[in-house]
Amino acid sequence: MKTFLKKVAAQSPWLYRINAGSCNGCDVELATTACISRYDVERLGCKYCGSPKHADIVLITGPMTTRVKEKVLRLYAEIPDPKVTVAVGICPISCGVFRDSYAIEGPIDKYFPVDINVPGCPPRPQAIIEGIAEAISVWRTRL
Amino acid sequence: MFSFLKILVRNLIQGPSTDPFPFGETFTPEGLRGRVRFDASACVGCRMCEHVCAGGAIRFEQSESELRFTLWHNSCTFCGLCQHYCKTKAIVLTEDWHLSHRQEEKYAMVEQGTVPLAPCLGCGISMIPVADELMRVAYRETNQDIDRLRRLCPDCRRKLGIKGVQRCKM
């Protein structure tokens, strides 16, 4: 039963999106990759889910502002292992243009392990799909 | 009334509009701003790119013998200001957008280049050599006199200029 589940789960990693104080640019691109049939991330077996408890791949945008820090950490702790973390945009990777601000607590790899980085401001949908495809290959090794 | 039939037939002929990437080739629009390329031989060390960089991705380090340029793609917003302000075209944004990488390579996503300093022919102080590209931008044609000025530091150039004026007066 367990091996069967593993085999099935490898085909359909579920995505969960955390906005850690993003300007919404990367979130729009993430919505584009999911909702617009030209890009269609569901071809890879992915599906956005509403609850962190169902997530396999976590997509994080935003530079982790002081205001959302506690909430992001709580959400991240709720995601069951094994999980793969993808940082989308330059903000979660290095805080980008917001670096050294008093209201920024990032970059996010200070708080939890990141596996894939997708730089860009925002990255184009194809770049996000490339990152997600790599995240899926990482996730299959962790199952 | 039957306009949907037209759409139906068109869709049947055209096939799916989904981009085949990552299983096939995708398109790259012309003028897309992607990975940055730095050409050290064209850099004049004005540091304008460092000044205008929105994400603070560009850094210059000067040592005794060289000027080192570093650009970190993980902090770059790909706004293209550096390319706009680089008159000698030492910085060019390519159309390569394949930038996603593993966490291990996070700090390896850099573009680096070193401009070696050369001694001034007049006083021997080390200075950034004048790039060929700058000569092309500043003077349409060069001659022997201009070429001699090129190997002098600003101070020596000024001295030579003042001497030239005196000669004219006499």
Side-chain angles (χ1 to χ4, degrees):
Chain A
M1 186 67 187
K2 211 172 176 185
T3 49
F4 172 73
L5 275 180
K6 265 187 190 174
K7 224 174 178 178
V8 175
Q11 302 300 317
S12 61
W14 282 19
L15 308 175
Y16 185 66
R17 194 170 55 73
I18 299 179
N19 180 333
S22 160
C23 72
N24 242 19
C26 294
D27 298 289
V28 169
E29 294 298 318
L30 284 176
T32 306
T33 45
C35 302
I36 296 196
S37 52
R38 176 181 258 180
Y39 306 115
D40 195 16
V41 80
E42 294 187 5
R43 281 174 302 153
L44 306 171
C46 300
K47 181 177 176 272
Y48 277 94
C49 60
S51 165
K53 285 166 185 159
H54 301 157
D56 299 310
I57 293 174
V58 200
L59 305 160
I60 300 183
T61 58
M64 184 80 103
T65 53
T66 311
R67 208 173 164 79
V68 298
K69 185 187 151 197
E70 289 307 315
K71 287 156 192 153
V72 168
L73 291 179
R74 206 169 66 217
L75 263 181
Y76 191 81
E78 279 182 27
I79 300 165
D81 284 321
K83 60 192 162 206
V84 178
T85 316
V86 183
V88 178
I90 57 166
C91 287
I93 307 172
S94 69
C95 298
V97 293
F98 303 110
R99 195 164 54 230
D100 300 333
S101 161
Y102 67 93
I104 302 296
E105 304 272 340
I108 56 157
D109 60 354
K110 265 190 347 202
Y111 302 98
F112 37 76
V114 175
D115 300 293
I116 311 288
N117 291 318
V118 185
C121 191
R124 70 188 301 231
Q126 283 93 336
I128 294 175
I129 288 177
E130 201 177 37
I132 291 175
E134 206 167 347
I136 291 170
S137 64
V138 170
W139 187 65
R140 280 181 187 154
T141 61
R142 288 193 186 163
L143 269 177
Chain B
M1 189 184 165
F2 292 106
S3 59
F4 73 93
L5 280 176
K6 218 167 81 187
I7 297 170
L8 187 74
V9 172
R10 194 187 66 200
N11 285 357
L12 276 174
I13 295 166
Q14 277 185 348
S17 63
T18 308
D19 195 23
F21 189 80
F23 308 109
E25 281 299 300
T26 183
F27 65 97
T28 306
E30 205 179 308
L32 181 122
R33 299 189 299 268
R35 191 186 288 273
V36 181
R37 279 275 158 268
F38 176 71
D39 178 12
S41 67
C43 180
V44 297
C46 67
R47 302 198 185 192
M48 188 47 101
C49 49
E50 189 185 30
H51 179 70
V52 297
C53 185
I58 296 175
R59 190 193 293 165
F60 277 98
E61 287 159 86
Q62 184 145 20
S63 70
E64 301 261 313
S65 59
E66 62 186 25
L67 181 71
R68 180 177 275 273
F69 168 92
T70 312
L71 182 141
W72 190 28
H73 285 106
N74 278 339
S75 192
C76 174
T77 56
F78 304 97
C79 62
L81 276 179
C82 48
Q83 176 182 292
H84 178 77
Y85 282 100
C86 190
K87 287 296 162 213
T88 57
K89 296 188 176 64
I91 293 185
V92 174
L93 271 72
T94 62
E95 288 178 359
D96 175 19
W97 49 269
H98 298 275
L99 288 157
S100 68
H101 56 278
R102 303 268 175 123
Q103 175 71 5
E104 300 90 82
E105 299 155 29
K106 179 177 173 182
Y107 296 104
M109 292 295 289
V110 289
E111 175 69 15
Q112 281 184 317
T114 50
V115 184
L117 302 187
C120 162
L121 282 187
C123 59
I125 196 170
S126 59
M127 58 166 215
I128 297 159
V130 179
D132 290 333
E133 191 55 42
L134 179 64
M135 297 300 279
R136 249 199 302 280
V137 174
Y139 309 98
R140 286 204 190 100
E141 295 165 2
T142 56
N143 55 34
Q144 221 176 353
D145 288 341
I146 293 172
D147 231 36
R148 203 178 61 217
L149 284 173
R150 176 178 177 180
R151 294 174 197 286
L152 296 174
C153 72
D155 279 344
C156 291
R157 237 177 286 163
R158 227 169 277 140
K159 277 178 199 159
L160 198 77
I162 290 168
K163 266 186 211 160
V165 169
Q166 278 172 347
R167 219 183 301 134
C168 286
K169 273 182 187 168
M170 284 159 79

